[in-house]
Every structure is written in C-alpha cells, then in structure tokens.
Amino acid sequence: MNKIFHATAGMGHKLQAQALVAKDGFSARYDLDRIKGVFSRPEHKLAGESYVGKVLVLDAAKGGVATAWMLYEMQSRGVMPAALVLNAVNPIMVQGVALADFTMISGFDCDITQAIPNGATVEIDPSGGRPFIRVL
C-alpha cells in the first residue's frame, strides 16, 4: 500500500509495528488490563485483544491524570503498546507519553481510524517537521 498520513504533532521514536485499529477511544485506566496486556473494558471495540507491541490507532484520548503514571508504569514493566496514533489528544495524554518516553502522533486531515487497515504493518516517524504514519 505504501500510503503516508501526516500528523500535526508527534513525539517519541521512529518505529515499525503492526497496527491495531478501532473507532474507539483510549484510556490507560479504564480500557486496559495493564497486567495481562489486553483491552479489558467489555464495551471497547478491541476487548480481549492484546495491545503489547502494537501501534494503537484509535479515535481520541480519554481520561485524566491517572493516565500519565499508568503509561509510565506500563513502560517500566514492558507491557506497553509500541505507539499511539490518535485523531485527537488531550494535555494529560501528552504528559503521560512524555513521562513514559513513548511514541505518539495525532492530528490528521482525515479520520485515521478509517484510513489505516487493522493488522497492517506501519512505520511511524514523529521526528522532524512533519510527523507521519506510513502503511507498508
């Protein structure tokens, strides 16, 4: 496919991994079993799916200040997604991603959850002036 989608903001490291995509939000506190590494909220579209090592392509960040320390705690135990790709973020999510030294990009001119196929291998490069996700 080799299609590129540019984001308005990005932070973290360049990487390549498999995408896990859903038109749903992301809360480290309410959506995840942070011990088992799976989406645990029954109503979440990815319920039961492992997020470990995957690029999560989701709609928007949800939740409050607990997300910051939860992302850091997940990173310290190695039970972490590879990256977050979101249509919209909030300042708390940005703080959590920075604290965890994690990769995230957001802000697209399309609904990124509709543009990236679930299961696709993607490359993310948040550095430079134009952060992007590329479907390989």
Side-chain angles (χ1 to χ4, degrees):
M1 183 178 210
N2 202 19
K3 182 144 183 164
I4 296 176
F5 300 92
H6 289 279
T8 57
M11 58 195 306
H13 311 281
K14 184 176 179 178
L15 61 92
Q16 183 176 316
Q18 183 182 28
L20 190 58
V21 183
K23 181 71 174 168
D24 208 333
F26 177 79
S27 166
R29 180 175 184 186
Y30 296 112
D31 293 337
L32 307 179
D33 180 322
R34 296 178 316 278
I35 303 299
K36 295 179 182 175
V38 296
F39 280 86
S40 59
R41 185 172 55 86
E43 299 82 18
H44 198 283
K45 290 182 172 68
L46 297 174
E49 295 278 341
S50 173
Y51 61 79
V52 178
K54 305 282 177 67
V55 172
L56 302 183
V57 180
L58 297 165
D59 190 36
K62 304 182 305 185
V65 293
T67 291
W69 67 262
M70 287 177 181
L71 289 173
Y72 180 78
E73 180 259 345
M74 290 164 54
Q75 183 79 296
S76 71
R77 289 186 300 101
V79 183
M80 189 75 171
L84 284 173
V85 176
L86 301 169
N87 283 317
V89 298
N90 60 34
I92 297 299
M93 187 65 72
V94 173
Q95 290 173 343
V97 167
L99 178 65
D101 190 27
F102 185 56
T103 298
M104 179 174 70
I105 62 173
S106 68
F108 299 89
D109 62 2
C110 65
D111 180 348
I112 200 65
T113 68
Q114 301 301 308
I116 306 289
N118 190 34
T121 300
V122 296
E123 173 188 21
I124 296 176
D125 188 349
S127 61
R130 295 199 66 199
F132 69 84
I133 181 170
R134 178 192 329 257
V135 180
L136 302 174

